Amino acid sequence: MSSYTQGELPRTKPLLDKIRSAQDLRALPQSDLRQVADELRAEMIDAVSVTGGHLGAGLGVVELTVALHWVFNTPRDRLIWDVGHQAYPHKILTGRSDRTLRQGGGISGFTKRSESEYDPFGAGHSSTSISAGLGMAVARNLKGENNNVIAVIGDGAMSAGMAYEAMNNAGARDERLIVILNDNDMSIAPPTGALSKALTRMASSGTYLHLRDIAKQLAQKLPKKWERRAARAEEMSRTYWSGGIWFEELGFYYVGPIDGHDLEQLLPVLKNVRDSDQAPILVHVITKKGKGYGPAEDSDDKYHGVAKFNVVTGAQVKPKPAAPAYTRVFGDSLVEEGRRDKRIVA
């Protein structure tokens, strides 16, 4: 995968320029998807450098976005992004140029139902996607339809109570719903809490990786008739040691963790999930915020949301504001009140 650290963006984007909808993407052979992802990443870096906007989260889901739209029949299959920060690549692939991002008369910085049929749910910030997806899945069943519903939620958003209420209800109903856990160890700021630590252990457990390697070696030495049982045993150990059993206790069939930047892993897994009778399913995908652009990878909090910036150096060009930001006024006022009244806790 290309990494654009010195502003060496592709001058032309022959495949991306032909894509005006997800149908155009699905018309391409699988062998072209790597190039589409590279062109999409370059387009996003180039455009956001001019308009400003959310950068790191979108760069982290480029391959995942390409894979989801290629495997699933969007917009008939409902694809719900938990926060708008992740949705810029999605908007480009569905015919919305990010050159007008957050400009007067241009496209919204978040998913917006009135903007496109590919945005089934409007979302600004986090933790609503699974609830929305569950509602759509129930409505689908009441109408006797059979489309897929996919909710993409970040690891930061997964720590909120609303996400667990929805998972609890989906698991209890055995609802046919697909949840993609986009685990990049970084929401807007470094994550905290027990869930963050658990997810990190799932993705990087040395014990799990070592045992899985031993299991594979052992399976190769077994007679053919035992191969299927060995594969099942390996799957069970994967779920246990990776921590996926925790999601399975909520009623979800757990798949993962998988590399969210490797299309050779993503595509077959998503196809299997699409065609599976298991319900509901959670796919645990590991991604890197800012993937493919050096400055964003090195400073994923700083490049979560950016002003205009120089692609070559990564330096942001911040205009002088005419007035102080609302958040600064609020924060300064709260601190001042706290100095006067020790009962105030923020």
Side-chain angles (χ1 to χ4, degrees):
M1 190 200 73
S2 301
S3 180
Y4 309 111
T5 56
Q6 298 300 324
E8 297 174 355
L9 304 180
R11 294 181 180 275
T12 60
K13 304 177 181 71
L15 293 180
L16 191 63
D17 288 343
K18 296 177 182 177
I19 297 173
R20 295 290 179 269
S21 68
Q23 286 90 335
D24 294 334
L25 174 67
R26 289 191 287 272
L28 297 175
Q30 181 174 330
S31 57
D32 281 348
L33 297 187
R34 178 70 269 165
Q35 182 179 339
V36 171
D38 289 343
E39 292 180 12
L40 179 57
R41 180 171 275 110
E43 170 66 15
M44 187 178 165
I45 295 169
D46 197 24
V48 176
S49 74
V50 176
T51 65
H54 291 101
L55 184 64
L59 292 179
V61 295
V62 165
E63 287 82 8
L64 179 60
T65 306
V66 170
L68 286 169
H69 278 297
W70 193 78
V71 169
F72 290 95
N73 185 27
T74 54
R76 182 175 182 273
D77 287 341
R78 301 295 206 173
L79 178 57
I80 305 164
W81 295 93
D82 193 80
V83 291
H85 310 154
Q86 306 177 85
Y88 291 6
H90 157 78
K91 293 198 170 201
I92 298 171
L93 288 179
T94 53
R96 290 170 279 176
S97 169
D98 58 353
R99 301 291 168 149
T100 65
L101 181 67
R102 304 198 310 179
Q103 309 296 308
I107 65 171
S108 169
F110 301 95
T111 53
K112 190 175 182 180
R113 294 173 62 199
S114 62
E115 188 177 273
S116 172
E117 62 180 341
Y118 287 95
D119 290 359
F121 186 71
H125 285 84
S126 76
S127 309
T128 57
S129 61
I130 304 177
S131 293
L134 177 58
M136 292 180 194
V138 172
R140 171 202 61 205
N141 295 345
L142 290 173
K143 292 190 294 182
E145 298 177 351
N146 62 353
N147 59 294
N148 292 290
V149 180
I150 309 102
V152 184
I153 185 168
D155 54 315
M158 186 63 97
S159 63
M162 180 179 283
Y164 287 101
E165 180 183 24
M167 290 187 72
N168 179 58
N169 290 334
R173 294 177 56 93
D174 291 328
E175 205 65 62
R176 194 163 62 84
L177 171 69
I178 300 167
V179 174
I180 309 291
L181 171 57
N182 173 31
D183 183 359
N184 61 20
D185 196 31
M186 170 72 71
S187 48
I188 296 177
T192 59
L195 177 67
S196 169
K197 295 175 183 176
L199 290 175
T200 301
R201 286 197 298 271
M202 289 182 200
S204 60
S205 168
T207 304
Y208 154 62
L209 294 172
H210 177 63
L211 288 175
R212 189 174 186 185
D213 186 55
I214 292 174
K216 285 183 177 179
Q217 294 179 39
L218 179 61
Q220 291 172 0
K221 300 181 183 299
L222 292 173
K224 283 291 182 182
K225 64 179 181 179
W226 289 91
E227 195 169 322
R228 186 177 183 85
R229 294 182 184 180
R232 177 59 182 161
E234 191 274 333
E235 179 185 350
M236 292 174 65
S237 69
R238 167 183 57 76
T239 301
Y240 178 79
W241 286 101
S242 69
I245 195 169
W246 186 65
F247 292 110
E248 297 208 341
E249 288 297 324
L250 286 172
F252 276 72
Y253 183 81
Y254 173 84
V255 179
I258 61 174
D259 184 347
H261 302 294
D262 184 353
L263 288 167
E264 297 301 316
Q265 282 193 50
L266 277 174
L267 293 169
V269 168
L270 291 178
K271 288 178 186 177
N272 288 340
V273 166
R274 177 196 64 194
D275 300 334
S276 173
D277 293 330
Q278 297 285 345
I281 297 176
L282 184 137
V283 183
H284 186 180
V285 178
I286 307 297
T287 62
K288 170 68 177 174
K289 195 171 184 180
K291 184 70 173 178
Y293 184 56
E297 289 188 18
D298 295 338
S299 184
D300 40 18
D301 55 344
K302 179 181 176 182
Y303 278 83
H304 169 75
V306 294
K308 298 177 182 180
F309 63 94
N310 183 301
V311 175
V312 177
T313 64
Q316 296 187 41
V317 183
K318 295 185 177 180
K320 293 183 179 179
Y326 171 81
T327 50
R328 172 55 63 89
V329 174
F330 180 86
D332 289 347
S333 300
L334 186 60
V335 169
E336 187 58 35
E337 290 297 318
R339 290 195 179 104
R340 288 196 290 263
D341 187 344
K342 298 302 181 184
R343 295 172 300 171
I344 294 176
V345 177

